[in-house]
Amino acid sequence: MSSATVHSPGLDAADLIRRAGLRVTEPRRAVVEALRVSPHASAETVFRLVAASVPQTSLQSVYNALGDFADAGLVRRIEPAGRPGLFELRVADNHHHVICTGCGAVADVDCAVGEAPCLTPSETHGFAVHAAEVTYWGTCPDCTAAAIAAASATP
Ligand SMILES: [Zn+2]
Ligand SMILES: [Zn+2]
């Protein structure tokens, strides 16, 4: 198990699936492994990773597995505006994301302040607010470095 794993590092993929109350299948196990390798992955990215280890898996079965996982609370789906939905194993906290407008790189950002919802709306309209989801858009270090290099290369 890699030290980079943020979600229940002691459990293998089959245990995670079983603990979510789902039946363990080869494609489902491969989907969990794919999300460990690529922590914010689109369904297409998951499919490409899964196809490398379980070649007979269809894109549809990857979608089905991700949908079942989301329903069971095993994965969280994030939907950055104008981009494909991304799936991650880090669930049950109210963390946010910073996304590069250049290359689409995604990183986790812990809650702004303490616990969910971590941001106080100026007006709740009577709603009991239990979560706040923030997407920070910006330029990642790689894209910033590339932009500086490109600028200094032009006379
Ligand atoms: Zn970037
Ligand atoms: Zn995340």
Side-chain angles (χ1 to χ4, degrees):
M1 219 49 54
S2 99
S3 59
T5 307
V6 291
H7 184 86
S8 306
L11 293 173
D12 72 11
D15 288 332
L16 283 179
I17 295 164
R18 234 175 267 122
R19 281 189 4 158
L22 296 170
R23 197 165 56 85
V24 178
T25 65
E26 213 38 53
R28 278 178 175 167
R29 199 210 303 258
V31 166
V32 170
E33 295 297 347
L35 288 172
R36 283 183 157 165
V37 171
S38 182
H40 299 99
S42 67
E44 284 72 17
T45 300
V46 171
F47 173 64
R48 256 185 286 119
L49 291 166
V50 167
S53 57
V54 190
Q56 66 275 21
T57 308
S58 66
L59 179 58
Q60 188 57 50
S61 64
V62 167
Y63 274 113
N64 291 346
L66 288 169
D68 292 342
F69 289 172
D71 289 346
L74 178 59
V75 303
R76 172 175 164 193
R77 181 186 164 95
I78 57 170
E79 298 185 302
R83 298 191 179 239
L86 302 174
F87 297 86
E88 67 179 336
L89 289 168
R90 186 176 165 183
V91 295
D93 65 359
N94 187 214
H95 79 274
H96 310 296
H97 295 96
V98 58
I99 303 180
C100 178
T101 53
C103 67
V106 180
D108 285 336
V109 178
D110 287 341
C111 270
V113 186
E115 299 177 351
C118 89
L119 298 167
T120 308
S122 56
E123 170 61 81
T124 61
H125 300 279
F127 285 54
V129 176
H130 45 78
E133 198 173 303
V134 177
T135 302
Y136 302 92
W137 297 91
T139 307
C140 75
D142 286 351
C143 288
T144 302
I148 291 169
S152 61
T154 12

